[in-house]
Amino acid sequence: DAALSTESPPELGREVFDHSPPPNAGMMLIWKRTAFMAGDPLNPNVLYFSRFDFPEAFPALNTIEFDERITGMFKTYIGLCVVTETAYWRILNDNPDYTVDRAVNGMGCVGMRGAGSGREMGWAVDRDGFRLYDLRTTIKASEVIRDRVDAFNKVNLQESHVAHSRKDNAI
């Protein structure tokens, strides 16, 4: 009834009272008691984030727009990383006063399942390989593995096995 109010529930656009439902998204991540969602087919460049401590409430104003399609997200011990097709973006600070900056140019992520979180680092797969990233430096995983193998005693190298452990953040 227009006589009651012209606003549509749940008070769309009001900073404190807007409890809009979550958007369509293909990726979701919880970081610092906030839900982050990306991969909306209609808005592939937009990162949505919930109200602090209300992961079911996504105010219309809580968005960050990037200059290209978001292809991955992961968190590290320092902050949140959003990966686009050709860049890594750092998101630091607290909801809603985030600092967003482009940290790495020329490297991105191939798609939604091409990025994830380890224990202290995140990882992303780009067109040139698999990289680890802790929001400070990007390391090509093959270099890390090569350095480990170079340090081995080569006498019994044929008896060594390789396995990935997310729990222990090790290869």
Side-chain angles (χ1 to χ4, degrees), residues 144-163:
V144 174
I145 294 168
R146 184 199 64 220
D147 293 342
R148 298 277 181 167
V149 171
D150 286 347
F152 286 158
N153 180 342
K154 305 294 189 282
V155 174
N156 297 315
L157 186 60
Q158 72 277 5
E159 295 177 19
S160 64
H161 297 274
V162 178

Side-chain angles (χ1 to χ4, degrees), residues 22-97:
N24 291 326
M27 297 173 268
M28 182 189 179
L29 185 74
I30 302 290
W31 178 64
K32 283 189 164 184
R33 297 162 56 180
T34 300
F36 291 84
M37 297 179 80
D40 178 358
L42 299 176
N43 298 299
N45 298 9
V46 177
L47 177 69
Y48 303 95
F49 59 95
S50 71
R51 286 187 55 207
F52 179 76
D53 252 355
F54 289 93
E56 71 283 356
F58 282 79
L61 300 175
N62 286 11
T63 61
I64 301 169
E65 189 163 354
F66 296 89
D67 58 359
E68 59 187 2
R69 182 172 70 98
I70 298 169
T71 55
M73 295 188 296
F74 57 83
K75 56 188 174 182
T76 72
Y77 64 99
I78 297 174
L80 179 69
C81 183
V82 174
V83 189
T84 61
E85 293 175 316
T86 62
Y88 286 63
W89 297 79
R90 284 186 296 225
I91 298 180
L92 304 170
N93 297 333
D94 296 317
N95 187 347
D97 301 318

